[in-house]
Amino acid sequence: MAFELPPLPYMYTALEPHVSARTLEFHHGKHHQAYVNNLNNLVPGTAFENTTLETIIKEAEGGVFNNAAQVWNHTFYFESLSASPQAEPTGKLAEALRKQYGSLDGFKEGFSKAAATLFGSGWAWLVVKPDGTLDIVQESNAGNPLRKGLKPILTCDVWEHAYYLDYQNRRPDYIQAFWKIIDWKVISSRF
Ligand code: MN
């Protein structure tokens, strides 16, 4: 069964001015789609036919891993964004962030630093560790924390294709804009 590109849960114009329609047209319509197409070309004849993305992410190597992880990572990222986001986390996540990082702002500062200082292409993640505590991790290229037994609840795509049309080399400006469109309702529900 072929993998499919999930439609965005909003219009390409929905996240403006923070992320432009042009960026989303390329990011979802071209890049995300290309990872889906590549994966569908690579999987037939391998042990990963008829498995899930999660299984591939945990077990595969090389191109199959890279494209499967990029499909999953982008879906997870796009689903976290909204034109009318809930501005703050609620419930258990709000409590856990406060306990671990002092405040929501304290967490955002640490996460933003991880996203800004990640060298080259990759993803910054907020994850839940097996002991239930939170951690901020950097992953290069297609890296996904599921591979290390961690549960992702938030990610920021810092590949240049995520921001270059809107922010050029100003990755920190993109990260500041990212916080304005993060839907904490979605993030809180993942914890
Ligand atoms: Mn991307």
Side-chain angles (χ1 to χ4, degrees):
M1 200 178 70
F3 293 99
E4 287 179 11
L5 178 70
L8 282 186
Y10 38 76
M11 311 259 289
Y12 281 151
T13 52
L15 306 180
E16 292 189 330
H18 308 296
V19 173
S20 68
R22 190 162 163 75
T23 288
L24 281 184
E25 279 164 23
F26 277 92
H27 202 182
H28 177 260
K30 305 288 185 193
H31 291 280
H32 199 182
Q33 179 72 66
Y35 296 125
V36 171
N37 296 346
N38 292 341
L39 184 62
N40 284 326
N41 289 331
L42 289 168
V43 159
T46 71
F48 299 105
E49 277 190 294
N50 302 314
T51 59
T52 62
L53 283 178
E54 286 81 1
T55 299
I56 299 177
I57 288 168
K58 287 175 188 163
E59 298 176 8
E61 304 292 340
V64 174
F65 165 77
N66 284 334
N67 285 284
Q70 285 294 79
V71 172
W72 195 100
N73 295 356
H74 282 91
T75 301
F76 193 78
Y77 167 79
F78 288 131
E79 283 176 351
S80 308
L81 308 177
S82 168
S84 49
Q86 181 179 297
E88 292 189 8
T90 46
K92 282 191 304 176
L93 179 60
E95 211 178 294
L97 287 170
R98 209 165 27 239
K99 194 174 159 193
Q100 214 158 326
Y101 301 100
S103 63
L104 178 59
D105 283 344
F107 160 70
K108 283 185 180 176
E109 198 179 311
F111 187 95
S112 296
K113 190 177 173 198
T117 60
L118 199 162
F119 186 76
S121 297
W123 303 79
W125 300 86
L126 173 64
V127 298
V128 187
K129 294 193 286 187
D131 68 4
T133 61
L134 298 168
D135 202 6
I136 297 167
V137 296
Q138 296 175 317
E139 293 278 355
S140 291
N141 301 315
N144 182 304
L146 287 170
R147 209 167 160 86
K148 297 171 182 161
L150 303 168
K151 180 184 170 188
I153 58 173
L154 169 68
T155 193
C156 183
D157 185 350
V158 297
W159 283 58
E160 283 188 343
H161 68 220
Y163 61 87
Y164 212 84
L165 291 173
D166 298 332
Y167 299 96
Q168 295 78 48
N169 61 320
R170 305 188 310 278
R171 188 191 287 185
D173 290 356
Y174 156 70
I175 296 165
Q176 286 312 304
F178 166 82
W179 293 121
K180 295 178 182 150
I181 48 175
I182 272 293
D183 189 354
W184 283 102
K185 187 178 177 185
V186 175
I187 312 306
S188 300
S189 75
R190 290 172 176 161
F191 184 54

